[in-house]
Amino acid sequence: MPRTDPGLTVFDLLSSPLPESQKLLLKCLSGQDHLESLVQEPEVNRPGLALCGFFNHFGEHRVQIFGRGETAFLQQLAEKKQTSVLLDFFSRPIACCIFTHSLQPTEPFTFLAKSANVPILQTELTSNEFITRLLGFFSNVFAPRETIHGVLVEVHGIGMLILGNSGVGKSEAALELLDRGHRLVSDDLVELRLINGGRTVVGHLVNNLNQHHYIEIRGIGIINVEHLFGTRSCLQRKNVDLVIRLELDAEGKIYERTSYQNRTYELLGVRVPLLAIPVKPGRNIPVILESAALHFRGNQQAETLYDAVLTRLSVD
């Protein structure tokens, strides 16, 4: 069943590995002993109105962002007034406060945050850039997800999820695709996440061994893909563009002779194009999968060009 991850903590914000362009660049200024606080909502709050004493519809369960405006407002308040406002502010169940632009909290703010066991974090990023990255991080962490048995590979840029009964040859096909220069995301188990407003399914590596990529081949055992094919043969995640179902060729079963366009497979409520491929001795499955990826990519490009032409004609 699809699920979401309810266990995001403030420590996760500080320590989660992210690509360089998505890093939050956070450090903890105070409250290091309370980083286990849970972030309960995948949203942020700019508490400008709350600092003025207006708490109607206050997003108390959200990460609180203090930019230049909020910080400047606190700094110009008399200490007694600031303390009064912040006492009310920190009486709420706040997970953490984050200061952008490398800004520093005021002394009353730091004292009251410590008293309320609320961690204070800081980032050098601007408010807009930080919020963009944080919401992107939230969309991934809180995304509905499920784990499925299969193999996810990237073939000619197409994310291909290979399904089929045990022993049908999913991992062997993936191994041959790796030898032909394509890339592996995950073998045996694939974690699927629903992002982009519920329109895109992304497959992630499922592996508890330091995020290394392994593939199991009957008769050989477990292979370390990075050692055998190099680090460039591996991906941590990939959009699922096409589902391939490998089936042992059954005598008398009729397979479609046209294309996948009328068949789909449901993943997390999203319909993904499906192609059923019969497996029997003498069939070169990896070559067929490469051809399927190229055919699918060609159709995508044609559809994109067609949509662009229609848009241009409607504008003209």
Side-chain angles (χ1 to χ4, degrees), residues 66 88 181 210 212 257 260 276-277 308:
F66 288 80
D88 199 359
N210 299 319
H212 287 304
R257 303 176 65 91
Y260 53 80
I277 296 180

Side-chain angles (χ1 to χ4, degrees), residues 175-205:
L175 184 65
E176 176 65 21
L177 289 170
L178 284 166
D179 190 52
R180 297 170 71 90
H182 304 293
R183 299 195 283 183
L184 174 73
V185 178
S186 193
D187 175 62
D188 188 37
L189 291 175
V190 182
E191 184 180 84
L192 303 176
R193 300 182 188 178
L194 188 62
I195 64 168
N196 194 24
R199 297 188 298 271
T200 304
V201 178
V202 180
H204 289 250
L205 168 68

Side-chain angles (χ1 to χ4, degrees), residues 155 158-164 168 170 240-248 253-267 271-279 283-297 299:
V155 182
I158 301 300
M160 185 177 287
L161 178 63
I162 307 174
L163 306 179
V168 76
K170 300 184 296 296
V240 179
D241 303 305
L242 181 62
V243 174
I244 301 292
R245 186 167 61 213
L246 299 182
E247 303 176 349
L248 291 176
K253 182 172 181 178
I254 299 175
Y255 289 88
E256 292 189 27
R257 303 176 65 91
T258 53
S259 72
Y260 53 80
Q261 292 179 332
N262 296 323
R263 305 188 68 186
T264 59
Y265 191 90
E266 185 172 319
L267 299 170
R271 288 294 190 181
V272 180
L274 167 69
L275 183 63
I277 296 180
V279 176
R283 297 204 86 196
N284 193 328
I285 299 302
V287 171
I288 293 174
L289 296 181
E290 285 183 321
S291 301
L294 288 172
H295 179 61
F296 179 82
R297 190 175 69 179
N299 283 347

Side-chain angles (χ1 to χ4, degrees), residues 10-11 14 27-37 95 110 113-114 117-122:
V10 177
F11 179 78
L14 285 162
K27 62 181 180 180
C28 186
L29 299 181
S30 71
Q32 288 86 347
D33 295 333
H34 302 284
L35 298 179
E36 75 283 356
S37 299
T110 301
K114 286 182 178 179
N117 299 330
V118 176
I120 302 176
L121 311 182
Q122 182 193 71

Side-chain angles (χ1 to χ4, degrees), residues 10 20 22 36 39 41 64 69 109 126 136 142 149 158-159 214 221 235 245 253 256 258-259 302-303 310:
V10 177
E20 191 66 33
Q22 301 172 24
E36 75 283 356
V39 177
E41 292 186 13
Q64 306 297 314
F109 191 101
T126 66
F142 285 89
H149 284 277
I158 301 300
Y214 296 92
L235 290 172
R245 186 167 61 213
K253 182 172 181 178
E256 292 189 27
T258 53
S259 72
E303 289 174 4
L310 287 182

Side-chain angles (χ1 to χ4, degrees), residues 23-54:
K23 287 184 177 178
L24 301 176
L25 304 180
L26 286 168
K27 62 181 180 180
C28 186
L29 299 181
S30 71
Q32 288 86 347
D33 295 333
H34 302 284
L35 298 179
E36 75 283 356
S37 299
L38 287 176
V39 177
Q40 300 182 43
E41 292 186 13
E43 299 287 346
V44 300
N45 187 62
R46 300 290 295 268
L49 289 175
L51 298 179
C52 297
F54 185 80

